[in-house]
Amino acid sequence: MSTVKIAPSLLAADFGNLQRDVEMVNESKADWHHLDIMDGVFVPNISYGMPVIKTIATHATKPLDVHLMIVDPDRYIQTFADLGANILSVHYEACPHLHRTLQAIKLAGMKTGVALNPHTPVSVLEDTLNNIDLVCIMSVNPGFGGQSFIENTFKKVEQLKEMIAAQGTSTLIEIDGGVNDQNAGPLVQAGADVLVAGSFVFRSTNPKATIASLAALGA
Ligand code: DX5
Ligand code: ZN
């Protein structure tokens, strides 16, 4: 039996009513706020930057799960710590010295996360898993909300679950992209600990109820 964590992605929020949407997440059954930071270089899209993150942090009452889709994330580790990030995820594909980056994140007082693009096998994390608090398996190509879930994700969740068990770490498995009420249950069955959901939550008529329904699928 597992209790899944739900992390609504604010990328799909109404930025004209950002405080309202952050407060909706505060009042919901969500566990974390998921913040997607895109630089237009690592991914072909730019999302939002420091002033917006500051606003979100001001109103958020739950941990900030920050997903950096940027090149050279080392430059901003302290900045994100100062902004109030609790979990800082960098992309494996953007970090030639991943172990050093993870040490810097930890030193700055945050939990360490590593995100993997759909084409990157989980096995690349074998030698640094004991330094990773969260692995974010991308179930879409990063850069945009509202894309379709890639089914191969299930295989990766199972493989990562086995790696975690073999090494005895307490690393959490997060799934990001295209999560909905069809795949949430099977993902939790496969071993997912955290589900990120953007469009499915914010495009629904009752986002709070949608968050509760996703949480119930993993209860
Ligand atoms: C994609 C982002 C995701 C995205 C999820 O690059 O990392 O967090 O916002 O959005 P949906 O749930 O709409 O796929
Ligand atoms: Zn994300």
Side-chain angles (χ1 to χ4, degrees), residues 10-202:
L10 291 164
L11 188 64
D14 175 356
F15 283 81
N17 290 287
L18 188 54
Q19 180 176 351
R20 181 200 67 190
D21 282 1
V22 171
E23 285 172 352
M24 180 282 292
V25 176
N26 289 343
E27 293 157 13
S28 76
K29 288 202 154 54
D31 297 273
W32 299 342
H33 303 267
H34 185 83
L35 279 62
D36 288 303
I37 314 305
M38 306 175 183
D39 65 356
V41 179
F42 181 70
V43 289
N45 193 14
I46 297 175
S47 57
Y48 53 84
M50 310 317 176
V52 173
I53 299 165
K54 208 167 181 174
T55 301
I56 293 170
T58 303
H59 300 292
T61 57
K62 297 179 179 181
L64 302 184
D65 172 32
V66 179
H67 176 192
L68 298 184
M69 285 158 273
I70 66 174
V71 295
D72 202 1
D74 301 63
R75 287 179 299 166
Y76 296 107
I77 290 173
Q78 192 55 51
T79 306
F80 280 100
D82 294 341
L83 282 164
N86 299 90
I87 305 147
L88 193 65
S89 294
V90 294
H91 262 266
Y92 168 81
E93 301 82 5
C95 296
H97 303 286
L98 182 63
H99 187 273
R100 178 186 291 152
T101 303
L102 295 172
Q103 282 178 317
I105 294 172
K106 211 178 283 183
L107 200 64
M110 297 174 286
K111 298 268 189 208
T112 58
V114 179
L116 297 178
N117 277 340
H119 74 275
T120 305
V122 296
S123 57
V124 298
L125 299 180
E126 204 134 28
D127 290 308
T128 189
L129 195 62
N130 59 343
N131 297 296
I132 306 176
D133 295 307
L134 175 133
V135 174
C136 174
I137 298 181
M138 291 307 301
S139 38
V140 298
N141 284 294
F144 303 93
Q147 304 179 80
S148 312
F149 181 84
I150 296 171
E151 292 292 329
N152 187 53
T153 305
F154 283 105
K155 188 185 86 190
K156 293 173 80 169
V157 175
E158 282 157 18
Q159 290 171 342
L160 181 57
K161 199 81 194 163
E162 278 172 28
M163 264 170 63
I164 291 169
Q167 295 197 29
T169 69
S170 49
T171 311
L172 296 177
I173 302 177
E174 178 176 71
I175 309 301
D176 188 4
V179 170
N180 57 35
D181 57 353
Q182 300 300 301
N183 52 36
L187 281 168
V188 175
Q189 286 301 313
D193 302 295
V194 187
L195 300 178
V196 174
S199 317
F200 187 68
V201 167
F202 286 98

